[in-house]
Amino acid sequence: MITFEAVRNNPAIHTYIERANESLRALGFTEHSFPHVLKVANTASYILLTLGYSQREAELAQIAGYLHDIGNLVNRIDHAQSGAVMAFRILDNMGADPADIATIVTAIGNHDEGTAEAVNPVAAALILADKTDVRRSRVRNPDISSFDIHDRVNYAVTSSETKISDDHKTITLTLSVDTEMCAVMDYFEIFLGRMILCRKAAARLGMAFHLDINGQRLL
């Protein structure tokens, strides 16, 4: 049975994540390396465990979260699909159970905005975990004066928390945003599509999705 630790400690996977991140760095994208994939993996697991899903389903979500961006090694365009194919080969070679592979590959192939669908709980958890990872430390451009809107929006986020309510009816992304760096409207210009996707993913898990920025509920 494939485990998260086996995936995390696989040298080939480690290399693919590093090299995919290098490609995105060259293209000017925010950080997509180990801090991001580990945060996504652990948040996806937290979501399913909190909602009462099995430990195994949570671990599959954790694995999907760790692997979800390796397709950027091939190209940023259609990286969800190329990443799903890469994950299939990797996990098959590691001797993973076909049912586990199917769940993980489906989640990875359905996580990106252009083609994303919360087709199962693992996919829904991955979408929520990935799209709520907004934070200053993901910005890699050292020159604030040359920030594009993506850099500016991410850099403006001084704190971020994704939390499920005690009654399991809502999941809320709570952000503190430096409005001198970025207007709240700029956040929506970049992330509205992602927030709508989060709402659909939350609904798949029986929850409502909320966005709170600087103490105000905006979604």
Side-chain angles (χ1 to χ4, degrees):
M1 183 172 68
I2 194 73
T3 66
F4 174 67
E5 285 306 311
V7 170
R8 184 176 178 180
N9 293 325
N10 183 287
I13 292 171
H14 192 279
T15 298
Y16 300 151
I17 292 172
E18 281 190 327
R19 297 294 292 275
N21 186 52
E22 286 176 13
S23 294
L24 292 181
R25 182 193 298 273
L27 293 170
F29 282 87
T30 53
E31 177 266 319
H32 283 70
S33 189
F34 299 104
H36 173 60
V37 299
L38 281 169
K39 182 174 177 60
V40 172
N42 292 331
T43 301
S45 174
Y46 153 75
I47 289 169
L48 293 189
L49 287 176
T50 301
L51 295 177
Y53 288 86
S54 70
Q55 185 72 44
R56 186 59 186 156
E57 287 172 296
E59 185 167 34
L60 295 180
Q62 198 173 22
I63 293 169
Y66 193 76
L67 296 175
H68 79 282
D69 268 340
I70 58 173
N72 287 298
L73 181 70
V74 178
N75 197 291
R76 178 63 180 172
I77 297 172
D78 295 331
H79 75 279
Q81 286 72 38
S82 55
V85 173
M86 289 176 65
F88 176 89
R89 183 179 184 276
I90 292 166
L91 295 171
D92 188 45
N93 286 343
M94 291 177 71
D97 180 81
D100 289 346
I101 294 175
T103 299
I104 294 165
V105 166
T106 296
I108 294 171
N110 280 280
H111 87 271
D112 194 48
E113 291 98 300
T115 54
E117 291 289 344
V119 294
N120 61 41
V122 171
L126 174 57
I127 288 168
L128 286 164
D130 182 35
K131 304 314 173 192
T132 57
D133 185 19
V134 186
R135 51 190 162 82
R136 173 170 290 189
S137 57
R138 294 192 69 187
V139 177
R140 296 191 281 197
N141 182 355
D143 182 8
I144 293 178
S145 66
S146 68
F147 276 4
D148 64 11
I149 190 169
H150 291 86
D151 290 335
R152 194 165 66 250
V153 168
N154 278 279
Y155 193 83
V157 177
T158 56
S159 70
S160 172
E161 181 184 40
T162 302
K163 188 173 182 181
I164 295 171
S165 62
D166 291 341
D167 62 8
H168 299 171
K169 291 183 178 180
T170 63
I171 181 168
T172 302
L173 172 61
T174 302
L175 302 176
S176 295
V177 174
D178 179 356
T179 55
E180 292 187 3
M181 175 64 64
C182 155
V184 171
M185 186 57 69
D186 290 342
Y187 179 90
F188 276 100
E189 181 180 343
I190 296 299
F191 291 122
L192 180 59
R194 299 182 191 183
M195 297 300 96
I196 292 172
L197 184 57
C198 284
R199 187 167 61 187
K200 292 178 179 179
R204 178 65 178 80
L205 295 170
M207 295 185 293
F209 175 77
H210 293 310
L211 171 65
D212 290 358
I213 298 181
N214 294 349
Q216 295 187 333
R217 177 150 297 172
L218 301 176
L219 187 66

